[in-house]
Amino acid sequence: MRLNNILRLGLLLLCLSPATLVRAATVSISCGAVGIELEVCRDGAEAWAEKTGNEIRIISTPNSTTDRLALYQQLLAAGSADIDVFQIDVVWPGILHEHFIDLKPHIEPERLRAQFENIIDANIVDGHLVALPWFVDAGLLYYRKDLLDKHGFGVPETWEALTHTAATIQKTERAGGNRDLWGFVWQGRAYEGLTCNALEWVHSSGGGNIVDDRGEVIINNPAAVEAIDQAAAWIGTITPLGVLNYEEEQARGVFQSGRALFMRNWPYAWTLVNGGDSPVRGKVGIAALPRGEDGVHTGTLGGWQLAVSRYSGVRQEAIDLVRHLSSRREQKRRALEAGYNPTWPELYDDPEVRAAHPIAPTLRKVLAGAVARPSDVTGRSYNQVSNAFWSAVHATLAGKGDAAGNLALLERRLERIRRHRGW
Ligand code: GLC
C-alpha cells in the first residue's frame, strides 16, 4: 500500500464513529393492519430506522384480535425470535407476560407518570412493565348526521331510542328507494370484538361486567339478559344477518359506503369515513354509545401496547424502537395523521390535535367512562373467559336459545374455568 493510501485509510477510520462501526441491526415488529394501521406503523418505524441506522422488518398480522393472539401464542411458545417487538392488545399482558422483558429499567418513571394511569397499570404484571402503551381505544357510536336531520331525529341517548330511530329511518328510506340501508351495524362475529360490543350493551344497562373486580362471576343477571335479548332482536330487523360474521372492517365497509345509519366502532374509523374517497365524508357525527333506561353511557376500553420479546436477538435496538414509537411525539404524529388516540392525556389539549380532531373532547370523555374487560382479575385465563362469553352471546344472536338460558350455561362454564384454570 502506498503511503498516501495508508494515510487515507487512517483518516477514514478516524472519521467513523463507534456507532457506525457496529453492524446495523434488523428489528422486526408486528403491526396490526386494520384500516391504514400498517402504513402508519411503517412510517413511524422507518423514521426510527433512518435516525439510528438500523433496519426494520414489518410483519403484518391478522385483523382479528383473536386470530392474532393465537398466532402470537404459537410463535412465543416455540421461543421464536422471528418477531422482536409485538403489538399487543390491552387485555393480553396477563396472558403473555412471561414471554416479554420487563421494560421498567429502561423507561424513566416521569414518562410513565405522564400517561393514563389505568393503562400503565394494565401493563404491569407481578411488578413488571410488560409493554408500553401505544394507543387507547373505546367503543363509539357513529351516526349519519344528514339522515338524522332529514328525518327529524336527534342522536339517540338510549338503546331503545336507537332501536326506534333506526327502524323508522330504515323503513322510510327504503320505501323512498334507498333499498340497501340498514339501521345499525357493529361487530357480531364470534371473537374478541363481540365481547367488547356485548359488554357495552350489558354495562350500559346496569348489568355490570362478566366477572367483577373480586373475581366473582356476575354476568347471569336480569339486566344483562335483557340487554343481550334486545341485541338479538336487532338481527334481521335493523341489523343485517351478516353482522354475525362482521369484524371492525366489515362494519366500516357497510357504513362508509352509505349503507347504514348507525355504526359501533373504534376511533380509527373516524379518519377513514372522512377520507377523500369516502362517500359519507362530512356527513358523519360521533357520540358516546347509548345507555339503558337506568344505565350510564359507556364504551369498552381497548387499545394496543408494544412489548419486547424475551427471545429477541436485538433487545437493545428493540427497546429503543419501542421507546421511539410510544413517545409523546410519535403518538402526536399518529393522532394527527390517522386519528389514533394518544395515551398521554396532555395531547388531548394540544391545539394541533384539537384542530385536526374536533372529536378529541368527546373521546376524552368516553375514555374516562370506559369499562374495562376483566383481564386483570382473570389474568392468564382471560381468553377462555372471553371466549365463553362471546360464544354465549353469539349463540343468542344466532337464535340458538335465549339470553336467560345461555347466560345460565355461561355462568356454569365460567365457574368451571375458574375451578380448573384458576384466577
Ligand atoms: C380494538 C381494541 C382492542 C380489542 C379489539 C377487539 O382493536 O383496541 O382492545 O380487543 O378491538 O376487536
Side-chain angles (χ1 to χ4, degrees):
M1 212 183 274
R2 295 218 332 256
L3 187 62
N4 58 350
N5 277 351
I6 294 175
L7 281 175
R8 252 189 235 147
L9 182 67
L11 260 178
L12 184 70
L13 283 176
L14 271 177
C15 292
L16 288 175
S17 70
T20 48
L21 286 172
V22 175
R23 258 191 71 220
T26 301
V27 182
S28 7
I29 173 169
S30 70
C31 304
V34 177
I36 51 168
E37 200 178 7
L38 194 73
E39 288 93 289
V40 189
C41 173
R42 173 173 291 125
D43 291 347
E46 276 177 357
W48 171 83
E50 209 159 288
K51 189 177 83 180
T52 58
N54 290 304
E55 297 203 349
I56 208 83
R57 198 156 62 95
I58 308 279
I59 297 170
S60 165
T61 50
N63 275 356
S64 155
T65 314
T66 302
D67 295 347
R68 210 182 293 179
L69 176 61
L71 173 74
Y72 283 6
Q73 282 178 315
Q74 235 173 34
L75 283 170
L76 291 166
S80 156
D82 286 351
I83 301 179
D84 303 296
V85 174
F86 282 79
Q87 177 181 333
I88 68 165
D89 199 330
V90 67
V91 285
W92 297 347
I95 303 175
L96 299 177
H97 65 103
E98 65 202 10
H99 300 291
F100 299 132
I101 66 162
D102 178 14
L103 289 167
K104 229 185 213 158
H106 307 282
I107 308 293
E108 306 75 15
E110 316 78 75
R111 180 164 163 169
L112 296 182
R113 277 198 295 274
Q115 297 184 59
F116 286 122
E117 197 183 346
N118 58 346
I119 303 175
I120 296 290
D121 285 352
N123 283 292
I124 296 184
V125 180
D126 297 338
H128 285 191
L129 181 63
V130 175
L132 276 183
W134 200 17
F135 62 94
V136 55
D137 266 342
L140 296 172
L141 180 71
Y142 288 75
Y143 57 88
R144 285 281 301 279
K145 283 190 295 210
D146 57 330
L147 289 177
L148 289 183
D149 287 350
K150 176 174 164 194
H151 295 274
F153 280 90
V155 179
E157 269 288 305
T158 62
W159 292 112
E160 204 184 333
L162 177 140
T163 309
H164 172 69
T165 307
T168 314
I169 295 183
Q170 179 184 302
K171 187 163 167 226
T172 319
E173 281 288 313
R174 284 187 182 185
N178 190 357
R179 294 199 188 290
D180 293 335
L181 188 81
W182 283 100
F184 185 31
V185 291
W186 33 278
Q187 296 78 47
R189 187 184 187 140
Y191 82 122
E192 185 64 26
L194 178 55
T195 289
C196 298
N197 281 246
L199 181 58
E200 285 158 353
W201 311 328
V202 169
H203 191 76
S204 65
S205 307
N209 211 311
I210 310 165
V211 172
D212 72 10
D213 291 345
R214 292 164 308 141
E216 299 305 321
V217 176
I218 56 167
I219 187 62
N220 186 16
N221 68 72
V225 167
E226 201 179 307
I228 293 170
D229 274 338
Q230 165 167 269
W234 294 333
I235 308 279
T237 57
I238 59 168
T239 296
L241 183 62
V243 85
L244 293 177
N245 222 6
Y246 282 9
E247 296 173 9
E248 286 78 2
E249 284 291 82
Q250 285 81 23
R252 181 173 70 86
V254 173
F255 185 80
Q256 192 163 319
S257 60
R259 288 179 288 132
L261 171 66
F262 295 118
M263 166 174 74
R264 182 273 177 207
N265 216 324
W266 306 100
Y268 86 94
W270 174 255
T271 312
L272 301 170
V273 299
N274 284 307
D277 58 351
S278 165
V280 296
R281 180 192 169 102
K283 297 179 178 166
V284 178
I286 62 151
L289 287 164
R291 54 176 174 77
E293 278 313 309
D294 309 312
V296 288
H297 293 289
T298 193
T300 296
L301 182 68
W304 292 83
Q305 350 288 310
L306 295 169
V308 173
S309 165
R310 229 175 234 301
Y311 318 112
S312 166
V314 288
R315 263 193 197 193
Q316 279 318 314
E317 291 80 0
I319 294 168
D320 198 52
L321 173 61
V322 167
R323 285 179 55 94
H324 168 85
L325 290 176
S326 62
S327 68
R328 186 181 170 287
R329 190 160 168 194
E330 172 64 4
Q331 288 200 17
K332 178 168 170 181
R333 182 192 73 84
R334 290 170 53 89
L336 292 178
E337 282 176 21
Y340 286 101
N341 279 329
T343 59
W344 303 71
E346 65 186 77
L347 282 179
Y348 292 78
D349 298 322
D350 181 288
E352 276 176 276
V353 173
R354 283 202 164 213
H357 288 289
I359 61 171
T362 311
L363 288 174
R364 182 80 207 265
K365 249 202 283 170
V366 173
L367 289 173
V371 53
R373 286 161 277 173
S375 53
D376 261 8
V377 65
T378 59
R380 65 189 187 91
S381 299
Y382 172 72
N383 196 45
Q384 279 71 20
V385 168
S386 183
N387 189 316
F389 179 57
W390 81 57
S391 303
V393 175
H394 196 266
T396 314
L397 298 175
K400 297 182 197 132
D402 59 10
N406 286 332
L407 290 191
L409 287 173
L410 170 66
E411 182 178 35
R412 288 207 287 282
R413 210 171 144 196
L414 291 175
E415 292 296 3
R416 251 197 328 271
I417 296 173
R418 186 183 186 185
R419 263 197 317 278
H420 292 145
R421 291 184 53 96
W423 64 71

